[in-house]
Amino acid sequence: MSGGGGVARKYQPRRLRRLDSESEEASTPHDASETPILPWFLAAIAGAVLTALSGVVITVAATTIGWFSVPDESYLGVLIFAARIWLLAHGVPAEVGPVTLSVVPLGLTLCIGVVASGVAGFAAQQLLHSRRVSSAELSQRDRRALSLRVAGVFSASYVGSALVVSALASPAGMAARAMIGAFLVAAVSGLVGAARVIGWELTAELPQWLRVVPKAVAAAQLVMIATSATVLAVALIRHHNRVEALHAGLDPGVLGGILLLGVQLLWLPNFIIWCGSWALGAGLQLGTGSIITPSQTTTGLLPSIPVLGAVPAPGPGSGSALWWLASGAVAGGVAAWVVVAARRRARFDEVALVGGLSGMLAGLVFCLLGGLSSGDLGGNRLIDLGPRIPELLVMGPTVMGISGLLVGLVAGLTRSEPPAEAPTAEAMPSDDDLDHTEMIFR
């Protein structure tokens, strides 16, 4: 009967259902009509070069708008400046006359990373088509090897492109920094893109109890980014008069106003991370003598950048600003909650320890982001802009780690599901039992 197979499938033991599912997935044939558009290595090489070129084109377009407003400069100098801004997105300091910029425009870096991930994914797809296989037909070991192969070729080609740009636009001695920065951007983005298409799960390489930690850390980062963006939005709305006054004082005109907005958007992720450091209580500094925390604001000479009009007035902070300090505890608690949701049958002590570890790692990751977002906007009083890293290293991992530990402990003790017990030899089904069960429901 047609319904018999469904009933047998419904009451089939869980292990057999899993085996049948894996068998059906592995037996799915690859569509032979799917032929590669390009050889995969050519797609990876050309894609890396085009990714670098697209990033340079973005900066050239932005600086060209500025050149229309100030056409006295030679266009060759504009192109060199654009190339240096592109290199700055990879951590290479940009010399603009007597001024050295080292604050990485993380907005541009993220745009490059998104494009690089998609291009590396396309190259990985061409590799699968050339082998006439689907990702379901590959073992975890093969998926890892193919993902690393695509990411390696893509990264090497991207680094080569960055070295060419550095040789044409940067002073001597910057090639090493360009190579390191370009490799980090291309390796991370390329590996993510290739692994997504090929189906390599990076967390599958970790021990069972540790596999949920990356997801928990990512959840905590999302909480901090959402909180930081809210802090920035509230500050801009509250001090919009000062922001508008600074913009009007520059008198940029229409084209200059568009350029000024675009430049601030390139550094928008930096501003968001700085606000996160403020919300954690570590605060931030905007050059020598300018320190902003929820409890106290001390400002010195600030550059005439409209977004900096959102900085609070000098003096003690309001009592309501202290509520933002709870953001770190919430982020650590969310990290622990992700661990609890994924490990429902784990012992309470394991959940508490992994929750605390996830919170602490989330704090360290946010410290890393704070370090990447910091830098200089020149000399004298415009040195060391960004989060106060020593204070952030204390506040971030400590608050998130303790919160994760406590939430994991409470959730582990109060949940309704009992912890899983190790199966005894008598409880484990034998191969004869499985074969007998399969014959009954076949």
Side-chain angles (χ1 to χ4, degrees):
M1 292 179 66
S2 59
V7 174
R9 177 79 176 181
K10 179 178 180 182
Y11 290 100
Q12 195 172 359
R14 183 179 301 175
R15 179 177 174 183
L16 291 180
R17 290 202 303 268
R18 189 181 75 251
L19 293 175
D20 288 346
S21 175
E22 293 176 354
S23 177
E24 292 172 4
E25 184 183 36
S27 63
T28 302
H30 178 69
D31 188 358
S33 63
E34 294 182 352
T35 56
I37 302 175
L38 293 172
W40 73 267
F41 58 88
L42 181 60
I45 295 173
V49 175
L50 290 176
T51 300
L53 183 61
S54 64
V56 174
V57 167
I58 292 175
T59 57
V60 168
T63 52
T64 300
I65 294 176
W67 181 70
F68 286 147
S69 301
V70 188
D72 296 336
E73 296 290 334
S74 67
Y75 194 66
L76 178 60
V78 171
L79 294 178
I80 293 176
F81 174 73
R84 290 181 178 179
I85 295 299
W86 181 84
L87 290 170
L88 180 60
H90 300 79
V92 182
E95 294 187 2
V96 184
V99 177
T100 300
L101 306 178
S102 61
V103 181
V104 178
L106 292 180
L108 179 57
T109 306
L110 289 175
C111 290
I112 295 172
V114 171
V115 174
S117 178
V119 171
F122 173 76
Q125 190 178 52
Q126 302 310 300
L127 176 58
L128 292 178
H129 291 344
S130 65
R131 288 175 170 255
R132 303 290 182 180
V133 296
S134 64
S135 60
E137 299 174 79
L138 298 173
S139 65
Q140 180 73 2
R141 180 178 180 181
D142 292 336
R143 295 173 186 174
R144 179 177 66 247
L146 295 180
S147 299
L148 292 175
R149 184 179 303 177
V150 173
V153 174
F154 181 85
S155 301
S157 304
Y158 191 85
V159 169
S161 303
L163 289 176
V164 172
V165 176
S166 177
L168 295 175
S170 289
M174 293 294 180
R177 297 196 64 165
M179 182 174 64
I180 295 174
F183 174 77
L184 291 176
V185 172
V188 173
S189 304
L191 189 59
V192 169
R196 184 185 67 251
V197 172
I198 295 177
W200 177 37
E201 298 182 7
L202 281 69
T203 57
E205 307 290 335
L206 300 175
Q208 182 68 32
W209 65 272
L210 198 57
R211 293 179 184 177
V212 70
V213 171
K215 184 182 296 184
V217 171
Q221 301 308 307
L222 290 177
V223 172
M224 287 305 306
I225 291 173
T227 303
S228 307
T230 304
V231 170
L232 179 60
V234 170
L236 289 172
I237 294 173
R238 180 174 297 177
H239 305 291
H240 69 278
N241 291 331
R242 272 187 284 167
V243 174
E244 294 172 357
L246 283 173
H247 182 86
L250 294 174
D251 192 19
V254 177
L255 290 179
I258 295 174
L259 176 62
L260 186 59
L261 177 61
V263 168
Q264 292 177 94
L265 289 177
L266 291 181
W267 275 270
L268 179 61
N270 301 65
F271 302 145
I272 291 176
I273 295 172
W274 296 0
C275 290
S277 178
W278 179 89
L280 283 171
L284 63 138
Q285 55 191 26
L286 297 176
T288 305
S290 297
I291 299 177
I292 300 97
T293 66
S295 60
Q296 183 72 33
T297 297
T298 304
T299 57
L301 179 64
L302 296 178
S304 297
I305 302 175
V307 70
L308 295 184
V311 174
S318 62
S320 60
L322 299 178
W323 286 103
W324 293 107
L325 297 175
S327 59
V330 173
V334 168
W337 192 258
V338 171
V339 173
V340 173
R343 304 282 293 167
R344 294 184 179 275
R345 303 297 301 275
R347 289 165 51 94
F348 75 91
D349 54 346
E350 177 186 335
V351 173
L353 290 175
V354 178
L357 174 64
S358 300
M360 185 181 65
L361 290 178
L364 290 174
V365 169
F366 196 80
C367 291
L368 176 61
L369 294 176
L372 293 175
S373 67
S374 304
D376 304 333
L377 278 181
N380 299 327
R381 298 175 64 90
L382 297 181
I383 297 176
D384 294 332
L385 279 72
R388 303 166 69 197
I389 299 301
E391 290 78 2
L392 187 58
L393 280 171
V394 174
M395 298 296 296
T398 302
V399 174
M400 295 188 196
I402 294 176
S403 174
L405 179 66
L406 293 177
V407 171
L409 178 62
V410 173
L413 290 173
T414 59
R415 64 186 170 190
S416 57
E417 295 187 38
E421 297 181 357
T424 60
E426 293 81 1
M428 292 292 291
S430 64
D431 293 338
D432 293 338
D433 293 335
L434 292 175
D435 293 340
H436 180 64
T437 306
E438 185 178 2
M439 292 178 62
I440 291 175
F441 291 103
R442 181 173 294 174

